[in-house]
């Protein structure tokens, strides 16, 4: 089968022919890929940022946002059958460790991460397990929802925390209305009562944010922190949801936060530099967010089937993987880029 592989760091991906995966264990599920999301993490992988952490042996197939159709299953699989439309939780988990027993499978002690430390979905087929496949509604197409498997799931996981710690009428500032941000905005409007204020440097992204439900859009033009303070009567927002995490966003985000407010970190790239006395005296909280759980993904797919969360996508043929990566790197992708085998 065709597969796009990392053959070396600081070099381009290569298309190659590799054996298609087959069922090897009783709980294995082989999926025919219908769509694979192109994520900025994929660019970071090629830069070598994940090399030490993942410990993966090169070459391997990249791609961690995947959806498609069940192709084959092991003899102990009962939750899906060949032909079912599915989206894949990004992790393969054991189900037996303490974290899995708590339903916190994203912290599984024995996890594998297709596209990061084992073969992923920039290919025609991928092998995962029964614990990682979520059936999707017949009204949904794999290529339209693939990026919800990671980008959407990460956004949902963070927004669910915002919803649990805010009250109707509270202000949540969303920094960044790009690939993750535009999903988070929709989820916020679907499951919380917050007033959603979006800040982004790109006027087009701000316009899209308002179009999909944000209560207010502000272009980051140097006056945006002051605008947030004015909007909140000088107090700041109860929650800041940062999908950027670099380029000075964290310093500005903290300045937008009110006393006893919560700062939800999703994007990464820079350090948060805050004097400890300021954290203590104002009782602000910094909350990290990784990808969500299997249950989070099920709930997100319910919202997708209800039409409350819609991905804005740009689709590319698998053979055009380099164009997709180049467009993402250059900021030419509106929403999420999807490779379609």
């Amino acid at each position: 089968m065709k597969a796009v592989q990392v053959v070396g760091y600081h070099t381009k991906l290569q298309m190659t022919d590799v054996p298609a995966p087959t069922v090897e264990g009783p709980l294995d599920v082989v999926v025919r890929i219908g769509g694979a999301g192109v994520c900025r993490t994929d660019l970071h992988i090629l830069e070598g940022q994940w090399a030490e952490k993942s410990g993966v042996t090169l070459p391997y197939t990249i791609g961690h946002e995947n959806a498609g159709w069940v192709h084959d299953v092991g003899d102990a699989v009962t939750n899906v059958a060949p032909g079912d439309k599915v989206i894949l939780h990004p992790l393969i988990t054991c189900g037996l460790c303490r974290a899995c027993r708590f339903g916190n499978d994203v912290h599984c002690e024995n996890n594998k991460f297709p596209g990061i430390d084992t073969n992923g979905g920039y290919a025609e087929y991928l092998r995962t397990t029964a614990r990682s496949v979520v059936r999707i509604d017949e009204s949904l197409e794999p290529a339209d929802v693939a990026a919800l498997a990671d980008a959407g799931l990460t956004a949902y996981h963070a927004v669910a925390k915002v919803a649990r710690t805010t009250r109707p009428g509270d202000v949540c500032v969303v920094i960044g209305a790009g690939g993750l941000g535009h999903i988070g905005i929709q989820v916020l409007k679907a499951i919380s009562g917050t007033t959603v204020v979006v800040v982004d440097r790109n006027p087009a992204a701000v316009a899209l944010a308002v179009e999909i439900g944000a209560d207010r859009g502000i272009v980051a033009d140097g006056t945006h922190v002051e605008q947030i303070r004015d909007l909140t009567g000088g107090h700041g927002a109860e929650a800041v949801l940062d999908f950027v995490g670099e380029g000075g966003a964290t310093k500005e985000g903290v300045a937008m936060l009110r006393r006893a407010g919560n700062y939800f970190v999703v994007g990464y790239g820079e350090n948060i530099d805050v004097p400890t006395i300021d954290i203590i005296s104002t009782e602000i909280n910094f909350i990290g967010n990784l990808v969500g759980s299997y249950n989070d993904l099920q709930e997100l797919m319910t919202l997708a089937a209800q039409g409350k969360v819609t991905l804005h996508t740009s689709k590319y043929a698998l053979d055009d993987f380099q164009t997709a990566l180049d467009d993402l790197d250059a900021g030419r992708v509106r929403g999420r880029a999807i490779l379609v085998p």
Side-chain angles (χ1 to χ4, degrees):
M1 69 170 184
K2 290 182 178 180
V4 179
Q5 296 200 311
V6 180
V7 297
Y9 300 117
H10 308 288
T11 189
K12 291 185 176 182
L13 297 169
Q14 288 187 13
M15 175 74 79
T16 186
D17 286 318
V18 300
T22 58
V23 169
E24 296 181 356
L27 292 174
D28 282 354
V29 177
V30 175
V31 175
R32 177 167 64 88
I33 297 296
V38 180
C39 179
R40 191 158 293 275
T41 295
D42 298 334
L43 298 176
H44 295 326
I45 289 171
L46 293 175
E47 293 164 357
Q49 292 189 29
W50 284 82
E52 183 175 344
K53 184 175 179 62
S54 71
V56 69
T57 300
L58 305 184
Y60 84 106
T61 305
I62 200 170
H64 57 275
E65 297 180 338
N66 304 301
W69 298 267
V70 174
H71 176 70
D72 197 9
V73 299
D75 57 16
V77 176
T78 59
N79 58 323
V80 293
D84 285 348
K85 287 182 184 178
V86 292
I87 189 168
L88 280 59
H89 189 277
L91 295 181
I92 295 173
T93 55
C94 72
L96 299 174
C97 68
R98 184 173 177 82
C100 284
R101 298 287 194 183
F102 274 116
N104 197 14
D105 37 339
V106 67
H107 293 294
C108 172
E109 297 169 10
N110 307 297
N111 77 78
K112 293 182 180 179
F113 200 155
I116 302 292
D117 59 19
T118 189
N119 289 325
Y122 279 22
E124 295 176 287
Y125 294 90
L126 180 150
R127 181 174 58 239
T128 183
T129 70
R131 280 183 55 81
S132 298
V133 289
V134 174
R135 279 191 294 178
I136 62 176
D137 192 83
E138 280 300 315
S139 64
L140 302 173
E141 291 302 321
D144 294 332
V145 300
L148 292 178
D150 183 49
L153 185 54
T154 299
Y156 183 89
H157 182 62
V159 169
K161 292 182 183 179
V162 174
R164 288 193 294 268
T165 57
T166 54
R167 295 173 175 82
D170 285 355
V171 173
C172 178
V173 174
V174 176
I175 301 176
L180 272 72
H182 90 279
I183 302 167
I185 292 161
Q186 295 175 76
V187 177
L188 270 169
K189 296 304 294 183
I191 70 172
S192 85
T194 59
T195 298
V196 179
V197 182
V198 176
V199 176
D200 196 291
R201 293 177 179 176
N202 185 343
V206 172
L208 173 61
V210 174
E211 179 184 329
I212 61 178
D215 298 292
R216 177 83 177 266
I218 296 175
V219 176
D221 60 0
T223 69
H224 48 289
V225 174
E226 182 181 350
Q227 289 188 60
I228 295 294
R229 303 294 297 189
D230 289 345
L231 183 66
T232 57
H235 299 294
E238 283 79 10
V240 172
L241 180 53
D242 185 358
F243 288 108
V244 177
E246 60 183 356
T250 55
K251 182 178 180 180
E252 295 172 350
V254 171
M256 299 174 189
L257 196 63
R258 72 176 297 146
R259 296 176 65 89
N262 293 317
Y263 196 106
F264 297 87
V265 184
V266 182
Y268 62 93
E270 67 185 7
N271 295 333
I272 297 175
D273 184 11
V274 183
T276 51
I277 191 171
D278 289 350
I279 297 174
I280 299 302
S281 63
T282 60
E283 286 197 329
I284 57 176
N285 304 296
F286 295 92
I287 302 165
N289 298 276
L290 195 57
V291 70
S293 68
Y294 182 94
N295 289 341
D296 288 334
L297 185 56
Q298 282 190 315
E299 293 167 9
L300 177 59
M301 297 318 298
T302 297
L303 293 180
Q306 293 172 347
K308 295 178 180 177
V309 175
T310 303
L311 272 173
H312 291 257
T313 62
S314 299
K315 295 184 176 67
Y316 301 77
L318 184 62
D319 288 339
D320 294 330
F321 65 90
Q322 190 59 55
T323 301
L325 286 164
D326 290 344
D327 285 351
L328 175 63
D329 195 27
R332 293 189 289 266
V333 175
R334 187 171 183 256
R336 301 294 291 188
I338 307 294
L339 294 180
V340 181

